[in-house]
Amino acid sequence: MSTSNETQVLIIGGGPAGTLLAWLLASRGVDTVLVERQADFAREFRGEVLMPSGQEVLREAGFSFDGIPTVRPQQLELYRGAQRFFETTLDLPPEASPLGVSQPALLESLVQRCETSPNFQFLRGVAAKDLLTEDGRVVGARLQSKDGDRGFSARLVVGADGRSSVVRRKQELPVRDLGAPMDIVWAKFPRPAHWSDAQVGIYIGNGHLLIAFTAAEDRAVQLAWVVLKGTYGELRARGVEAWARDMAMHVDPALGLHLEQTIDQIDRPFLLDSVTDRVIGWARPGSLVIGDAAHTMSPVGGQGLNVAMRDSVVAANHLVPAFLGDGDVDAAAALIEAERGPEIDTIQRLAAIPPRFMLGTTLFHSAARALLARLAPTALATGRANVLLQTFLHGTTDVHLKI
């Protein structure tokens, strides 16, 4: 694809949704330009858990994990405070189990695959600042780089640029805010000697939840400390060392001791402001939003990365025939939300349930957590929790590549 200022599809955002859609379109003959404002993919926070639902669509797209750092969690331990009340080994075949993956490596690999297509162009370190419109229709975007601004025309502009999407904001798309009662403090520590690659620890406390697991890229222990929304300001004011010591008090003694001993080696701790929302009306004349730009997901259940890529597959299924057959692109884009919406709504609804019990600080919530500690082993062992688990693992609808 020769360098120019026009294309059939302009995708804004080089995350999972944008890069996968770019590959599916360009590899099938649709001229596609992908715009990514960052110079590289090594961002602070990236969802790194691929559920079977996400792995499946990547396999169907012809993607291989060869050469990409991965880790497959298998040993699950549940704690109430520092007391372990359940442990199990997930005896699942690889294709049916979660996979931790280095998302920067995944995205770079997808872009490299895209660059094998003559129909693809990648603008790295370029930001979309505004949309270009004519007679109420989006006809392109104004792009900004170190070399200055330029207009870029397209038959369809796809916003895959996350919760702060330029396309969402400039189109003033209506958003249903579902709320989120928590924020998440993320940090990495050196992995202790007793911690295995496959290990996941979940620590349920009073008003907080802590999840510890091995990061795929560097094999450090990554901690997600889920706290009540609005409480991080106090933690931050006390300083990293103080809240890290608090965190160490809410895990098992061995991990807590290790955290105490490695506080000076904390890697880039930061706060993720948790949001759960959904755009109503993903498509407008000349534009479309997908992924986080269309539906910001709760971190509960590790769904963001997976539903975003499933959006891309459904989008490609509708858009490729429209472009190659000179069909109605706007009509094709309008079909995507109708197909994806039911799964998004179900997962968002289910993901909202656990925080209500886990983060509450009343006597009722404390009693509920005690009951959970007593009943969870039986529920997990007998498969009574299987419906929720299967939804998070496999989604609720059949999504397959049809083009």
Side-chain angles (χ1 to χ4, degrees):
M1 180 177 178
S2 61
T3 302
S4 69
N5 283 352
E6 61 179 313
T7 187
Q8 289 179 294
V9 180
L10 178 65
I11 301 174
I12 300 172
T19 52
L20 180 57
L21 180 60
W23 163 246
L24 294 174
L25 295 178
S27 63
R28 285 151 178 83
V30 179
D31 287 344
T32 303
V33 172
L34 177 64
V35 176
E36 169 54 42
R37 65 184 179 87
Q38 300 288 348
D40 59 55
F41 293 117
R43 300 177 183 176
E44 283 185 326
F45 172 76
R46 290 279 195 183
E48 294 192 331
V49 179
L50 271 174
M51 296 298 180
S53 61
Q55 296 172 53
E56 181 179 37
V57 295
L58 282 172
R59 283 195 298 269
E60 290 187 359
F63 183 79
S64 168
F65 293 101
D66 292 345
I68 293 178
T70 61
V71 60
R72 196 172 293 280
Q74 291 178 303
Q75 297 170 249
L76 176 64
E77 299 179 346
L78 302 182
Y79 293 79
R80 186 179 177 213
Q83 185 65 43
R84 185 173 61 200
F85 65 85
F86 181 75
E87 62 177 320
T88 188
T89 297
L90 301 177
D91 188 17
L92 297 170
E95 67 275 8
S97 64
L99 180 70
V101 61
S102 166
Q103 194 176 137
L106 172 67
L107 295 176
E108 288 289 2
S109 182
L110 278 169
V111 166
Q112 289 174 15
R113 183 175 289 263
C114 288
E115 289 175 334
T116 64
S117 169
N119 303 104
F120 176 76
Q121 182 181 347
F122 186 32
L123 304 180
R124 193 192 291 263
V126 175
K129 306 306 289 185
D130 204 351
L131 298 177
L132 305 177
T133 60
E134 291 181 4
D135 300 323
R137 176 183 179 83
V138 173
V139 295
R142 182 170 63 84
L143 306 181
Q144 184 182 67
S145 70
K146 63 181 181 180
D147 299 321
D149 291 7
R150 60 168 164 160
F152 211 109
S153 63
R155 191 172 169 188
L156 179 69
V157 175
V158 178
D161 45 344
R163 64 174 71 180
S164 300
S165 169
V166 170
V167 178
R168 181 204 280 205
R169 186 172 70 253
K170 295 297 183 179
Q171 288 281 73
E172 298 182 347
L173 300 177
V175 178
R176 184 174 66 208
D177 187 353
L178 302 177
M182 71 283 194
D183 289 327
I184 301 180
V185 181
W186 286 90
K188 279 186 179 181
F189 292 80
R191 190 179 64 179
H194 72 276
W195 195 272
S196 75
D197 277 3
Q199 194 166 344
V200 178
I202 299 177
Y203 302 84
I204 302 167
N206 184 31
H208 67 89
L209 175 71
L210 192 145
I211 303 170
F213 54 95
T214 303
E217 181 141 326
D218 53 14
R219 292 306 197 264
V221 171
Q222 186 157 317
L223 301 179
W225 193 14
V226 184
V227 297
L228 287 169
K229 186 169 284 293
T231 61
Y232 180 67
E234 178 187 351
L235 290 170
R236 182 171 53 187
R238 293 171 58 203
V240 172
E241 184 172 336
W243 65 250
R245 292 190 188 281
D246 279 355
M247 188 186 292
M249 294 173 59
H250 298 298
V251 296
D252 64 277
L255 183 57
L257 177 61
H258 177 74
L259 296 183
E260 289 271 7
Q261 294 172 340
T262 57
I263 281 179
D264 60 341
Q265 299 178 56
I266 295 173
D267 183 25
R268 293 181 300 172
F270 70 100
L271 173 73
L272 175 67
D273 181 18
S274 183
V275 175
T276 305
D277 63 24
R278 160 115 135 78
V279 169
I280 306 301
W282 299 5
R284 293 289 188 272
S287 74
L288 170 71
V289 290
I290 61 173
D292 274 8
H295 45 74
T296 307
M297 306 297 289
S298 164
V300 175
Q303 294 298 294
L305 170 61
N306 301 278
V307 295
M309 293 190 300
R310 287 162 71 83
D311 288 355
S312 299
V313 168
V314 172
N317 286 342
H318 290 288
L319 294 175
V320 168
F323 276 105
L324 297 186
D326 199 26
D328 189 333
V329 173
D330 287 344
L335 296 173
I336 297 163
E337 180 182 8
E339 187 170 338
R340 293 296 298 135
E343 178 172 271
I344 300 301
D345 292 340
T346 298
I347 290 175
Q348 287 186 329
R349 186 174 64 252
L350 291 175
I353 295 173
R356 296 173 190 164
F357 294 95
M358 300 298 180
L359 299 181
T361 57
T362 67
L363 288 175
F364 166 78
H365 291 103
S366 181
R369 287 189 290 268
L371 184 63
L372 171 68
R374 195 166 74 241
L375 297 181
T378 301
L380 290 168
T382 61
R384 292 178 182 176
N386 200 44
V387 173
L388 180 62
L389 178 62
Q390 292 303 314
T391 297
F392 286 151
L393 288 176
H394 301 287
T396 65
T397 59
D398 287 330
V399 174
H400 296 288
L401 191 60
K402 301 176 181 178
I403 51 168

